[in-house]
Amino acid sequence: MKRIQNLVVACCLLVAPNMVASAQGASPISADPVQIDPSHPPAMAELSFNSAGAKLNGHIYMANGAGPHPTIVLLHGFPGNEKNLDLAQVARRAGFNVLFFHYRGAWGSEGDFSFGNVVEDVASAVAFLREAETSNQYRVNPEKISLIGHSMGGFAALMAGAADTSITCTVALAPANLGHRAPGAMTEEALNGFAAYTDSLGMLKHRGGKAVIDEMVARLDEFDTRNLAPKFSKRPVLLIAGAQDTVLPPEVYHTPLVEAYEAQTDINLTHHLMQGDHSFSWTRIELSSTVASWMDTFCR
């Protein structure tokens, strides 16, 4: 298995927009599809599916053409203010379907929010896409499903991708590691502060911020994404961090994760450190170019 290791700290684009070509022959970064299939045009559909008996709200972007199309499950962070839907639009123009949804207890989805429920909900989303009725209705290739997650969603992408070896590709953008005992992160003051912040979030329904924290503390070893490396044997993984991220500093979270995955020498690993904060606020085009180019290479 070819191994790719890239460490980029630069203000210039890693991949120029005109170097990423969509299935329609135009750059998905800067151009709309050249031709539209009148019978199967690009579209968006609202939908819902069940996870452990709870109805989860979402929508799917369908790519141009009859397909079936490789499909991405796009996972937002905690609580999900940054949804990264610009990446979804780029991916659709590149010929991928994209399913975006809200976890249990988040943004109107039924049930209670918890970190464990988030991981289970990703598995439910993948199972939903693989159902014959779903794949036929939304032009999904059930054998080509990938995960892209940001922050807590990056944690969820790694956890769910490790558990399901049929996942084609896994992308983690500034991923959280809920099992990493980072200095200062597990103090009583820090945990109480995060619990209070959780309680203040009106878009999340849960059993209390302390319960959310207690779950994380009880499952530290299970939630340590560094331990998942053997599960990604012979599969493509993309890890990206922002050099100016102060929420999850790359030297604390990204570098140890990269080192753990590099030690598993048969992972098809690509990793980048690019300019940007936790949400890549001033490098969105570079982020889109990098992800789209990598997905085009490994995930169709």
Side-chain angles (χ1 to χ4, degrees), residues 245-267:
D245 187 346
T246 59
V247 177
L248 297 173
E251 66 275 13
V252 177
Y253 291 94
H254 176 73
T255 300
L257 186 64
V258 168
E259 290 174 349
Y261 284 43
E262 285 182 323
Q264 184 70 33
T265 57
D266 60 351
I267 298 178

Side-chain angles (χ1 to χ4, degrees), residues 7 11 56 71 79 82 87 100 103 135 148 168 201 207 226 237 240 242 244 256-257 267 286 289:
L7 185 61
C11 61
L56 307 188
T71 298
E82 173 58 76
L87 299 183
F100 177 87
Y103 318 110
S135 58
I148 298 179
T168 303
L201 297 172
R207 298 180 180 177
R226 295 171 297 181
V237 175
I240 301 179
Q244 290 78 28
L257 186 64
I267 298 178
E286 181 179 0
S289 297

Side-chain angles (χ1 to χ4, degrees), residues 70-71 96 144-146 168-171 236 294-300:
T71 298
F96 291 84
K144 291 290 184 178
I145 295 177
S146 297
T168 303
C169 293
T170 302
V171 180
W294 186 87
M295 295 289 294
D296 184 61
T297 300
F298 295 109
C299 311
R300 292 196 181 278

Side-chain angles (χ1 to χ4, degrees), residues 3-9 14 87 147-151 153-159 161-162 169-177 224-230 232 235-243 245 248 250 252-264 267-275 278 280 286-287 290-291 294-295 298-299:
R3 184 173 179 79
I4 297 178
Q5 299 178 355
N6 293 319
L7 185 61
V8 176
V9 186
L14 174 71
L87 299 183
L147 307 175
I148 298 179
H150 171 241
S151 193
F155 159 81
L158 292 170
M159 291 287 291
C169 293
T170 302
V171 180
L173 311 174
N177 184 351
D224 192 336
T225 53
R226 295 171 297 181
N227 299 335
L228 303 176
F232 289 105
R235 289 193 289 153
V237 175
L238 173 60
L239 305 175
I240 301 179
D245 187 346
L248 297 173
V252 177
Y253 291 94
H254 176 73
T255 300
L257 186 64
V258 168
E259 290 174 349
Y261 284 43
E262 285 182 323
Q264 184 70 33
I267 298 178
N268 189 355
L269 175 66
T270 308
H271 58 91
H272 304 299
L273 182 64
M274 64 177 59
Q275 298 298 301
H278 186 60
F280 305 93
E286 181 179 0
L287 181 67
T290 302
V291 173
W294 186 87
M295 295 289 294
F298 295 109
C299 311

